[in-house]
Amino acid sequence: MNILVINAGSSSIKYQLIDMNTELPLASGIVERIGLEEGVVKYKTFVNGEEKKLTETFPIPDHAVGLKRVAELLTDEKVGVISDPSEIKAVGHRLVHGAESFTETVVITDEVKAKVKELFPLAPLHNPANLVGVEVAEKVFPNATQVGVFDTAFHQTIPEKAFRYALPENFYSEMRIRKYGFHGTSHKFISEKAIEYLGNKDAKIITIHLGNGASMAAVNGGVCVDTSMGMGPLSGLIMGTRSGDIDPAIVFYLAEQKGFSVQEISDLLNKESGVKGLTGLTDMRDVEKAEREGDKACILALEMYAYRVKHFIGSYAAAMNGVDAIVFTAGIGENDTSIRKMVCENMSYLGIEWDAEKDNVRDKDVNEINTDNAKTKVLIIPTNEELEIAKQSLELIK
């Protein structure tokens, strides 16, 4: 069975076609610069162990044109991997914000689309684009079941004492202001992999998703009990361009004393802060190169970045009354040895002890990088959100 996974953004569509018999991708790529003068379609196939790549540049006025071209490439005589779009049994969509309305994966109906539209104010940059992807896919793949997988769903098990903010009751009951969390598909995927690896369904696991966006989750026996992002994706860890946690008084100060508008403050905290704000750099590899050369701003940025992760590890170990494993994932989490080393340093009180030699080896789906005698496992598990979306879609339509 073939399932197409779509992540539609405001001007892009990421896609991956997965053969669920092998759980391996047949084709993947991205449609970029939708609505601009010159759009781009990138297409990559994996057939009989051979990888082929194709890039096309042409005007892509809307998502419909882009996704239609993807369907044509998937069925093309020379580069296609299926003979007809009907071979795609389901299209799994990444939907960012499900609030309290969606606690699990759903078949997308008119009622679901209407509810997603109601949630636009909670994720104005993501939900509208996600919904466009759904509506276009319904036309391009009319025989496929459309499935919605929500970033927030995995975190809906967080108890009220952890998801509520200390605001008057009506701010929650009427406005639904609370912690929702994000990257849930990734946290679910790697926590399940960790539980399987440990052979302990009751394991207490802290998942650490470090990419340009970054978040952590406390997962107790497979159930999420806390996460670092909140009502939106700004809070928690220091990220590529996002500040993470700050004192709210800073917002008042900027508005009242410095004359910043709401939009200027939003742009500052979301686009000009984090690692970029501290160093002027956006790629962690460049930051670490400058750090090795003695750049003080980059030295401080890395120390702050690791300290914030350690802060949440301690917090979540307290929340769960212990920790059996911490798990690094995503671009930085999977590939950055220096960050892992800095996070694990001076954490022996929690049984966390990092092994430099083990960290240099990558030969498994799950890599254990703690010392042999460490009480707490330190794992690297590559995330695969597309496969997780496909697996949840398959489970729903069986």
Side-chain angles (χ1 to χ4, degrees):
M1 180 180 290
N2 299 321
I3 293 180
L4 179 65
V5 176
I6 288 179
N7 180 358
S10 58
S11 61
S12 67
I13 305 170
K14 294 180 182 177
Y15 63 92
Q16 190 170 122
L17 182 64
I18 299 176
D19 179 353
M20 297 310 295
N21 293 320
T22 62
E23 294 190 349
L24 295 174
L26 297 172
S28 68
I30 185 170
V31 182
E32 297 178 292
R33 299 176 62 82
I34 296 172
L36 299 181
E37 189 173 331
E38 200 85 308
V40 178
V41 175
K42 295 180 180 178
Y43 175 78
K44 180 167 63 173
T45 63
F46 313 87
V47 180
N48 298 323
E50 184 180 356
E51 181 178 297
K52 296 181 180 179
K53 295 182 179 181
L54 173 70
T55 299
E56 298 179 338
T57 303
F58 60 95
I60 305 175
D62 54 38
H63 287 67
V65 171
L67 195 55
K68 183 179 179 183
R69 181 56 185 152
V70 170
E72 291 171 349
L73 288 169
L74 290 171
T75 56
D76 184 84
E77 287 186 4
K78 293 182 179 179
V79 298
V81 292
I82 57 177
S83 58
D84 189 270
S86 63
E87 293 180 35
I88 296 173
K89 300 303 179 185
V91 180
H93 296 268
R94 181 202 179 204
L95 300 174
V96 167
H97 215 309
E100 293 178 320
S101 301
F102 299 103
T103 60
E104 56 189 19
T105 299
V106 296
V107 171
I108 298 174
T109 62
D110 289 341
E111 290 75 18
V112 168
K113 289 188 289 183
K115 179 57 70 172
V116 169
K117 190 172 292 187
E118 285 181 25
L119 300 175
F120 279 6
L122 291 176
L125 298 179
H126 296 93
N127 271 26
N130 298 159
L131 186 57
V132 168
V134 171
E135 292 173 338
V136 169
E138 287 175 330
K139 296 175 182 176
V140 178
F141 303 101
N143 297 319
T145 302
Q146 308 294 322
V147 177
V149 180
F150 294 85
D151 269 11
T152 51
F154 181 61
H155 303 305
Q156 287 302 297
T157 52
I158 294 174
E160 189 169 4
K161 65 182 179 182
F163 74 65
R164 282 285 296 274
Y165 296 118
L167 296 170
E169 166 66 26
N170 65 300
F171 282 77
Y172 171 61
S173 60
E174 297 174 17
M175 303 182 202
R176 315 315 295 173
I177 292 175
R178 54 157 288 179
K179 175 186 287 189
Y180 290 105
F182 299 90
H183 296 142
T185 305
S186 176
H187 288 296
K188 183 177 189 296
F189 179 82
I190 61 173
S191 61
E192 288 177 349
K193 285 280 188 180
I195 287 171
E196 181 183 353
Y197 176 79
L198 297 171
N200 177 10
K201 63 180 177 60
D202 299 317
K204 299 172 180 179
I205 298 168
I206 298 172
T207 52
I208 309 170
H209 179 110
L210 302 179
N212 188 50
S215 66
M216 292 172 59
V219 184
N220 193 346
V223 175
C224 183
V225 296
D226 207 348
T227 191
S228 60
M229 285 181 170
M231 182 170 172
L234 178 60
S235 62
L237 302 178
I238 293 170
M239 303 174 225
T241 63
R242 297 177 194 148
S243 64
D245 285 347
I246 64 166
D247 182 347
I250 295 169
V251 175
F252 310 144
Y253 177 78
L254 291 174
E256 296 169 0
Q257 302 298 323
K258 297 301 179 181
F260 278 57
S261 68
V262 171
Q263 188 59 55
E264 286 173 330
I265 294 173
S266 176
D267 288 344
L268 168 68
L269 299 181
N270 282 289
K271 300 177 182 178
E272 301 298 331
S273 296
V275 174
K276 179 182 180 182
L278 291 167
T279 68
L281 303 169
T282 56
D283 191 312
M284 193 64 85
R285 291 167 295 190
D286 295 333
V287 175
E288 291 179 359
K289 181 176 182 293
E291 180 255 357
R292 290 191 295 271
E293 295 170 352
D295 185 289
K296 291 184 179 179
C298 291
I299 292 171
L300 176 62
L302 292 172
E303 290 176 345
M304 290 174 63
Y305 189 97
Y307 179 81
R308 188 70 61 86
V309 176
K310 293 160 79 87
H311 171 89
F312 276 96
I313 290 174
S315 173
Y316 291 163
M320 295 189 292
N321 190 27
V323 56
D324 295 304
I326 65 172
V327 187
F328 291 94
T329 196
I332 295 170
E334 294 170 28
N335 299 302
D336 198 317
T337 301
S338 296
I339 289 296
R340 291 191 295 270
K341 177 178 182 291
M342 293 177 71
V343 167
C344 293
E345 282 178 334
N346 299 317
M347 295 285 277
S348 57
Y349 79 100
L350 279 179
I352 297 171
E353 297 179 4
W354 175 78
D355 188 305
E357 187 173 335
K358 289 183 180 179
D359 201 329
N360 285 324
V361 179
R362 292 289 176 280
D363 59 356
K364 302 174 183 176
D365 289 339
V366 179
N367 287 277
E368 184 176 319
I369 60 170
N370 51 272
T371 60
D372 291 339
N373 297 322
K375 294 180 180 179
T376 301
K377 301 292 186 185
V378 181
L379 309 175
I380 304 170
I381 301 179
T383 193
N384 193 334
E385 293 170 275
E386 291 80 11
L387 178 58
E388 180 63 28
I389 290 172
K391 288 168 68 176
Q392 291 188 42
S393 299
L394 177 63
E395 190 66 28
L396 196 63
I397 66 172
K398 276 183 178 178

